[in-house]
Structures are given as C-alpha cells and as structure tokens.
Amino acid sequence: MVFALEEINRNSTLLPGVKLGYRILDSCSRYPWSLQGALSMVGGETKHCGELVPLLICAASSTSIIISRILGPLSVPVISYLASCPCLSDRTKFPNFFRTIPSDIYQARAMAQLAIRFNWTWMGAVVANTDYGQLAIQVFQEEIQGKGVCLEFIETVHRENIMSDARRAALKIKASTATVILIFCWYTDVKKVLLELAKINVTDRQFLASEAWSTSDDLLQDLAISKVASGVLGVAIRSSTIPGFENYLRNLHPSHRPDDEFFREFCETVSLEGVQHPFTDTSQLRVAYNVYLAVYAAAHALHSLLSCPNRDSPPGNNNSRCSSPKHIKPREVIICAIWLSLSPPLPRRDLGFQGSKVTLECSMASVVGFFLVLGYIGLLACTCLLLAFLARKLPDNFNEAKLITFSMLIFCAVWVAFVPAYFSSPGKTAASMSLFLWVFPRWPSSALFLLLLSVVGRQTGLEVVQATVCSRWDATRDKSLSQDGDVIIGGLFNLYYKPSAVEQGYTKLPSYEPCTGLDLEALKYTYAMVFALEEINRNSTLLPGVKLGYRILDSCGRYPWSLQGALSMVGGDTKHCNLTASIPPSAAYKKTVAIADQLVPLLICAASSTTGIIMSQILGPLSVPFISYLASCPCLSDRTKFPNFFRTIPSDIYQARAMAQLAIRFKWTWMGAVVVNTDYGQLALQVFQEEIHGKGVCLEFVETVHRETIVNDARRAALKIKASTATVTDRQFLASESWSTSDDLLQDLAISKVASGVLGVAIRSSAIPGFETFLRSLNPSHRPDDEFFREFWQKEFGCTPGAEQSQETQSSYFSSPCTSWSDHPSNDSSSSPTKETCLKALPVCSGTESLEGVQHPFTDTSQLRVAYNVYLAVYAAAHALHSLLSCPNRDIPPGNNSSTCSSPKHIKPRELLAHLNKVNVSTPQGEMFYFQGADIPAKYDLVNWQNTPEGSLKLVLIGHVDGFDLHLNESAIQWSTGSNQVPVSVCSESCPPGTRKANRKGEPLCCFDCIPCAEGEISNKTGSLQCESCPSEFWSNSEQTACVPRQLDFLAFNETLGITLTTAAVSGAAVTTAVFVVFILYHKTPMVRANNSELSFLLLLSLKLCFLCSLVFIGRPSVWSCRFQQAAFGISFVLCVSCLLVKTLVVLAVFRSARPGAETLMKWFGPGQQRGSVGLFTSVQVIICAIWLSLSPPEPRRDLGFQGSKVTLECSMASVVGFSLVLGYIGLLACTCLLLAFLARNLPDNFNEAKLITFSMLIFCAVWVAFVPAYVSSPGKYVVAVEVFAILASSYGLLICIFAPKCFIILLRPEKNTKKYMMAR
C-alpha cells in the first residue's frame, strides 16, 4: 500500500499537485479493534484533532461486513483486498463496499468444475463453521447438482475447538470410501487436519484446496504435511508482478523511516542486506497485488473527483461542485469509483502501426477522463503564468516571480508541443514523449508549486489556523443530567424546542440554529426515568446489591445530535478537545466526565421513528439495545433490520386499525384524510386503507401536508375540507395519537369552535404511584448539579436558586445562554446578552419557593402517557439486567464455577440484548409486560374533546383499545353536532330493502344508485350488494323484500277460461244429443238412412264423447285424471275419425259397385263389415293407450320453469313417444279419410256426403296442425287450455260440417228429404 501511494505521488499525470498520505493501524484480526480504528480514522481521533479519512482499505469478510454496516450511513467507501464473502455483493445492504478479490462464488464454481472435469463423482468435504465455509459448500452443491457428483460426508470444524474437530475430521476421512476430499477452511485449521491425517498415516487422498490454504508457505514447508498433501489441486488468488516493488522492499531501512514502528520491530530480528527472505520475495504477489489495485482504484477515483474544470473561477460564478483535497466527501468518492470500474484504462495491442512489431500500450477507454487531466494541468499552468507575469516587476532583490514566469513559459511551450507530437508519434514513441515531458518540466513545476503555496498560503492563513482548533459542525448542548451507579442507563430526550428549519444556501458551512425554550413535557419524561431508577434502587428484590445510575442528554429533536449523544454514551466521552482552555472545568463538569468514563450498555431514547431507524442501524452491529418511548413506525417491527430495537409504544398499525374500526362502527362510509408527508402519515394511511378495504368505507380525498410548507398546505387542506361532499355535519374529526391529547390545542379558544367533538386514539395513560409527590419535592438545593431543573426553576420563579449555586452556574462549562429562558428568544447572537448579564438580572431565590402548593402542568400527573412509556422502558431494562446478573453460581469459588457470570462493571450489550428479548414481568401497578419482538401488546385510550363552560375543551376518556378489540362507551361521546346522535357521513344513502347497490361508473364504491330487485329476487336488509333469488317454489312479494310460497295454478272450473271451455264442451255435447234425437225421430227418412244410419249414430256418440272428454282436462290434475284424459281423448277421436273413414269407404264402394263387374264389391262393405272396421281401427288406439299408460303414464307435476308468483300443476308427459303415437295415429286416420273423401267428392249424387266429410276433415287437420306449435309454446295452464280448445274446435268442426246440412233439410226442407230428390243425379 505504501509503495503504491509513493508511486502515485511520483506520477505527474495521476493526481497532479495532490499528495496522498496514509494512516495504517493494526486490527489484530479482532472486530472491536478494526471498528475502533475505522471510526477513529473516519471521525477523527479523540486524543487530537486530525484530518478525516474519506476512504478505507481493509481485510476480511466479517470485518468488512461490520465496518461497511457502520460506515454505510456515512457513505464512507471501503475497499477490501481479502473479503470474499458472496454476501458483500449485495449493493442494497453494502452500497459503500468494494473489493479487489473475487467473490467466493467463483472459486466454489471453479472447484465444482474441476470435480466434474475429472469425473470425481464420490467426494468428501471439510468446511469451516463460518460464512466462508458454509456459503462456499452451498454454492459447490448447487453447481454439482444433476452433474453426477455426490458428497459422501460434510465435516464441519470450529476454530474454538479445532483440535478435537480436526481429529474427528481426520478419522472421518480415513473411514471414508471417497478418495477426493474438498476443504474450505483457513490454512491454520487445515494444518491441524493434515497433521492429524499424518499421525494416522492417511497418505492416499487427493485434496481439492480453496484459496485460503492453497498457497500457504506454512503448509508447503512442513515436512510432515508433505507426506499427506502431495498432489493437492487448488484454486488460488491470482498472482501478478509489481515492477520495482522488490527493490523498494530491499531498500527499506529504519534510518529512513524513523516513525515506522512496525518496520523497526521487524528489523530488530531480521536483516535484509543480501538475504533471501520471504518478506522480499515478490515472485508471487497475490494479496499484495490486491492491495496495490485497491490503492490505484482509490487514486483514480480521487483524481476524477478533484478534476474540476472551474476550480479557479470566482466563487460567485462557479456553478459546478468542485471538491478540495482537504474537503473530500466520501459519497462523491463512491461515485467516482463506480465510474472508474466501468471504464478504466486497460493494456491493449495496437495493430494499427504497420511494421514487424505490435505496440502494447495503455488504451484510454475514456478519452474524456484523459483530456480532463490534461485540461486541468493546463488551466493551472496558464493561471500561474499569468500571475507570475503580473508580479515580475515587483520591487524585490530576488523576485522569484521572474523565475517562475520563465519556468512556466518553458512548461507551457513543452506541453503545447506535446499534443501534436503525441498524436503523431507511432507505437511506444508516444509513451516516450509522455515520459520525456514528465521529466523535463519537473523542476519548473516544483517552482510553480512553491509559488502557489506562497500565494494561497497568505490568503488562507486564517483558515489554516482555525483548522488547528477543534470545532463541531453542529455544537450540541453539553448539558446533562447524571447519577453514578454500578450500571449506567443512558437517556436521550428532546428537552428543548427545535426552531423552524433554516434553508441552506450552500455558500457556507451548514449549521443549525440553537434549540431554545425548555419543553416541560420532555422534562417530565426525564424525571419519570429518574424516578423509576430511584424506585428500582430502593427495591430489595429487583437488582439487589446493584445500583443503577443514569446519564441523560438533550437531543433537541435533531438526528445528528441524537446520534452523537448515543455514540458518546455507548463508546465513552472522556476525552474532549479543549475548546476553552482558559475556563477551568467546574465540579459539575468533573463529575460528568467521571460518569462518562463508564460505558452505557442500554439506551432509552428515540423520540421519533426516524431517530430510531438511524440509531438502530448505527448501533445494530454493536448489538447495543435501546428502548424507545415514542417511535411508532411499523417498519421498526422488522427484527431482521432492527434486531436491537425495542419500544414501549405500540406500532402505528394498531392505531390506524382502531381508527378504521371506529369509522366502520359508526358507518362513516364517506371520509376525507389529511396526512403529513412522512413515514408516520403515509404508513398509517396505508394501513387505514387496507383495513377499510371491502368494508364499504371510502376516502373522498387524501390531502398531504409538508412541514416545510405548512402554511400553504394547511390553507389548501382547509379549502379541500370545506369543498368536500362528505355529509358530516360541522365536520367530525378523527384524531391520531400525535394530537388527540395536545393541551396546546385543547386550550386554544379559536380551535375549540372548530374541533368540538373530536374523537381520537391516544397513547394509553396510567398512574405512577408516588410520582406526583416526587415532582413536587424537587428543589434545586437538593439537586445542585441538575442544570435542567435549575433552568426550569429560574424560568418559573424568576430567581437564581442560591448565591453559591449562581456563582457555580456562572463558571460552569455547561451554563446556558439567556435565550434559553424565554419562550421566544432572539436568534441574533450579536444582540443576545451574556450569561453574566442574564444571571445578574435575576434575584437570588429566597429559599421559600416550592412546587408543593402550585398547580402547574409540570406537576400534573393525572394523565401520564409518554411518561408512563418511559417508566415502562426503565423497568424493562431493569428486569433484563436482573436476569443477566442473576448468576446461580455467583457465590461458588472461581475454580469450581464453570458457568459464565456477568459483572455489573463488565456487561456485554449482546448478552443484555438476549435477556431483553425474554422480558416477561409485571409492573408495580400489576400490569403484565413483555416484548413481542420489538413491540409490546397494543393498548390505547379512546378520547373525546368536549366543551367546557369556559369555552375551552376538555379531554374525556370514552373507551380503550386492547390489541384489535375496541371497547367504547358511545353514550359518553359528545359529537361535533352537540347531540348524542352519531353524525352521518355518506356519499349515497343506504339502499332500502327491496333494492340493491349499483356502482356509478368512474366513482368510488361508496357512491352508488339503488336499483329495485327483479321479480323473483329479494333483498331483505339495508345496503344489499346483490338481490337474492327465491327458491324454486317461492316468489318475491310485491316489495321484493321477502319470498312467499308460489300459488298452485291449473285450469280450474271456476275461472273464466275454465267456465268458457266447460260451457263450450257441455254445449257441444248438448247439440250432439239434440242431433242424435232428431236422427232418431227421423230415422226412417231417406236423409238419415243414406250412408248407413248406424255409422251416423255411432259418429254422433263419438262426437259426444269428444265434447265430454275435454271436461276431464279441466280441474286439479290427479293421478287418475292425468291417465284418463289422454286415453279418453285418444280413443274418442279415433272412434270419431274411424266412423268418417268407413263412411267414406262405403260411399266409394257404392259407386264403384255400380260399374259392370263390380257387383261383388259391396259384400265387403256390409253393415257387419262396417262395424268391424270401426272396431278394428279403434282397437289399435286402445292398444297404444294401454301400453303407454301401463309403461309410462302421465303424472301430475309442478312446473317450476315458468317464472312468476304461481306454479303450474300439470300432467307431465313422462313418455313423449306415447303421446306422439296417440296423436300420430289420429293424424294418420284423419289424413287417410281426407284423401278418400277428396277422391269421392265428385260422385253423382244430390247429397254426396263425401263433400261434407272432405270439408270437415280439412277443418280437423287444420286445427290439429295449428295445435302442435301452440301446445309447445304455451306457458303453464294454457297448455291444457290449448289442448281443450283443439278438442272442442275439431269436434265442433265435425259436428257442424257433417250434421248441420242434414238437420237443415230434415227440419227446414222436408220436401227435399225424399228418395227422388236424392237420386235425381
């Protein structure tokens, strides 16, 4: 590292004009020493004020992890030369870490590839019980998976008991059938394993070595190991040469390096003159080359950072950010290092030059960077030349400006000539030109440097002098409250008000305005901690024999001060830079320094979540636990990120859920939200929205306010609330715990007009017995070193507590300015009075002042909220210490005590952290207390702001929250409307029963329309999302609010349609009967006797049956009626159509028999044959009906398919085939009859009955053809009505068409009822 730095300092092109120094410390491979050294270099030594180090070069993985985690928030880059853990490649966890050694992933993969290449399918493994061994073997196993390579065993060795583990591993290797052994261990551990193998004479194993021991000289030179480890195949860190390094090492001498203590110690035992020594052996530089690369990476990053083109511009015109070598920001170094890693110069063969040689040169991957280097040199040279030229005639016997002018003319001329020569020179000649131009102007540039030092030194002399005096960027208050004890508990509270933010102009060093004005609530928290500690010290059962002390500092609500205070307590703060050496330290200061000499193992701090996050990340690697009393961010519950964080306030998740439950409980479905633009507001709103999701609660708006622009944001939020459509009368506010109990808001009369009825979640309150008495008994005379209370006393009583105390206060190092005594101090330090003036202005207290009879907010303990959290935190710490220090074998002599006991003076934070995780106790008030990870069981109060007669507001407890359970006394709430009725806040009124919600397009779910339910659907509750369908046998009532049973519906005799059809059927039967009577009376007339009177009577009988069978279809269906109606219908109509068919056949036969040779035809159509034919045709239908009704008869069934309030009771056709056969057979006979009658229509006869039959059958067929679609499409009982209508229509058609003309002649034209008339044609 030293060689590389000196080489860079000699390089005129890399960091010109900047000298790199170094500071190297020994860490002894111990993490605390490494951390202490790193912090001392980054933050400055505590013994003296030195320059800060912007970049570190360090070693092993574990050390790098710790240092990177600690320095990460400070953005200090770390470059490691030996940390190979794969975990360090995670840029999210280690953004400031770099390394010049590859990750172990690659060596594990290389070893796996070797095993696969040599077909070693059966291997053993010995690995260290560290990240190095465990992660490497994990990657190795992943790489060989599925490649046919297996591990017979994996032996793990521990460095703490390496001897026994090495012996066990050796025996395992000997007993193994695997001949190839993989070892991932440090070389010292491997040596023990190999020596054990030598002892048991195991010499036939092939070892595969990791880089940690493959190149160890200690192993290579050991003769015992050589018998065992011959033929080892290993992966090693790549080696490289460093030109000139060997000569550098050999030329080292203590006389040249008088301050080099390491080298002096080395030379006391070794002489390097003409000696071959491992120290001077540079044949295989491995780790040394990694260090060399790390130095060059840092140098190039610094070069890029410091190459600022506008450095010499006036400050007002320099808009670019230029870095000074004395003021390097580590964050910018990281950026530059990343840039160099992307585009570094690399060796390259230049094939462009034509000739027998190819030039190996350094190729500038980034020409911009090279030109910036040259441009910056040129800028400085030209500036120097100009200044020297102006100063050349100044009166002086030896005016050096003339020499500088001449030297700079030569310098500029040479480098101006360099540019064309460089570009035109071939091959290595270009490099020669660079070297020549570097050597030639060497002396002039030295003169230039001296001149610049002289000129700049005069201008910045005052700054240099000031830099030798230690100063802090933000001067924190050095006041503290402390008490000696065996164990010191640290406390950080925001005891002073933080002024509003000051905008930084970046034209000078940033600074904070001082905090002024003592915060009485924070002061009460402080004494809650003091009271708890004194109460514990008086307790004989808790920490017996151990006195707890405390050290309390003010953090003023500022993160740097909180962090500084925490680190000073955790790491000690006994060594200070003496800023005011002329002022002798007071007694209070000496006592504070004595207490500060003790390290604090636990802190009670973090008054905000951001402070808790920062401190947990900083103190986490040190395992220092701290308990917060006010950090409520849900993110802090993550134990993987914040393992050392605890708190006595619930996570904001619970209060957000409680507020969501209140909104759901009171049915506030349309709300607005105002949140602060911090984690507190954003995370709480997120949890609130998750909780109300799907519960019918919507947010009309979410207004975000920023603390920096609170005036404008507050006005905007107020206008938004005013314009909101949420229907909360007079605006009902729901408050979070951060303002629900604020006395400042409760006492403001203007706010009381707006915020009456506020409902809020508050930190639970609890009583602390004896605390009020403790506060009232406080007196400065009893606490002479308590400067916080003295300041409170001076402010409240307007006097200085005692002349002696006043004098001590004047000379105290910690005394406060007058500005801290007023609530509204002046920030102008020039006009502020001195301490002496302020103190002289106050009279000396008489000694009668007391808090006993005073009503004051400081002594009000009626509602202890945050103070009780502090109280709980102290007891949690005390019980953890009690558990840690309760050693069961403490009284046994040391020689016989095998257990590890902790001493109060030597408490390890890691052990205390483990016991704090297990705390499960009850407080003096009987409350069970334990940690669930970082959190305690969630408990809140529910409060209500109610009006008082004076016009202000008072806080009333109305319930509490226990976990996720809400306990609320609604009758005690006073709403913003002044009534006991819960305010209504909806976008749309709830839908009444019988309707459902229908979301409006493009609007939130809480804005909707109410749509009536469809028929057959109901909604029986308010705000239904869906209408429910009624069961199949039920239907919705008229209001669609309930399902009622569906009424049975069938074609009844008492309804209009039934009466009409019954009347028609009975009338048809009566008319048929009348015709039958007429025919009987006139049975001897020619009209009756023509065409076989028997068939006429049989036809009239069948027609009567057809009319009467329709009555069977009317009425409530039953089993027998369903069967009988279809049989009666089918048989009656077949009988009717059969008579007509036989009549037609007889007519045809009569006329055919009149032809010559057809006399015998009539013998087949005699009366007997006619009756037989009718019987035959009818019997076929009887058989069809019998089979149908016996196999699958119709049965009564409720038809639920028809939608409506009624259900149809009908005869269900179980067999459609049977019904179709019945109808088909009737149709077949009818069509046959129609065809025959049509053929006989023109036969010679005055009264040809075939014409009547033709016309009647046309009507019959038309009716039944129209019946089919009407039957299929008719709903419910109308199916039956259609069938009855078809029966009646076809029956009336047959009756009228066939018998009406005959009756007309018989009754009205008897003169035509003669044989002569009928035979006329």
Side-chain angles (χ1 to χ4, degrees), residues 845-996:
C845 294
S846 63
T848 61
E849 296 83 3
S850 173
L851 296 174
E852 290 292 343
V854 178
Q855 290 297 324
H856 194 274
F858 178 70
T859 59
D860 181 12
T861 60
S862 59
Q863 289 189 347
L864 297 174
R865 301 184 187 279
V866 181
Y868 186 68
N869 288 350
V870 175
Y871 183 80
L872 283 181
V874 175
Y875 265 89
H879 279 281
L881 286 167
H882 182 85
S883 175
L884 174 63
L885 298 176
S886 297
C887 186
N889 302 320
R890 187 177 295 280
D891 299 329
I892 299 177
N896 300 328
N897 190 356
S898 59
S899 64
T900 302
C901 298
S902 296
S903 166
K905 296 294 184 182
H906 300 90
I907 291 176
K908 296 179 180 178
R910 187 182 299 275
E911 296 177 353
L912 182 57
L913 176 62
H915 286 272
L916 197 58
N917 277 304
K918 302 175 184 177
V919 166
N920 190 344
V921 295
S922 61
T923 64
Q925 290 72 38
E927 178 185 353
M928 290 304 298
F929 177 83
Y930 56 93
F931 286 112
Q932 299 170 327
D935 302 318
I936 61 172
K939 292 184 179 180
Y940 288 100
D941 287 342
L942 296 175
V943 296
N944 182 220
W945 291 11
Q946 299 185 3
N947 292 315
T948 63
E950 295 79 17
S952 61
L953 297 169
K954 66 177 180 180
L955 200 68
V956 177
L957 184 67
I958 57 170
H960 64 276
V961 178
D962 191 354
F964 295 118
D965 298 328
L966 208 66
H967 305 277
L968 184 64
N969 180 13
E970 292 189 29
S971 61
I973 301 176
Q974 183 184 94
W975 298 106
S976 60
T977 57
S979 67
N980 293 328
Q981 295 296 323
V982 179
V984 178
S985 180
V986 296
C987 179
S988 301
E989 293 291 341
S990 296
C991 292
T995 61
R996 65 174 177 85

Side-chain angles (χ1 to χ4, degrees), residues 17 281 1224 1262:
D281 182 12

Side-chain angles (χ1 to χ4, degrees), residues 1066-1078 1099-1105 1107 1291 1295 1299:
V1066 173
S1067 299
V1071 171
T1072 305
T1073 303
V1075 172
F1076 189 83
V1077 171
V1078 170
L1099 177 60
L1100 287 172
L1101 178 62
S1102 64
L1103 284 174
K1104 187 175 183 179
L1105 291 176
F1107 282 115
S1291 298
L1295 178 63
F1299 291 101

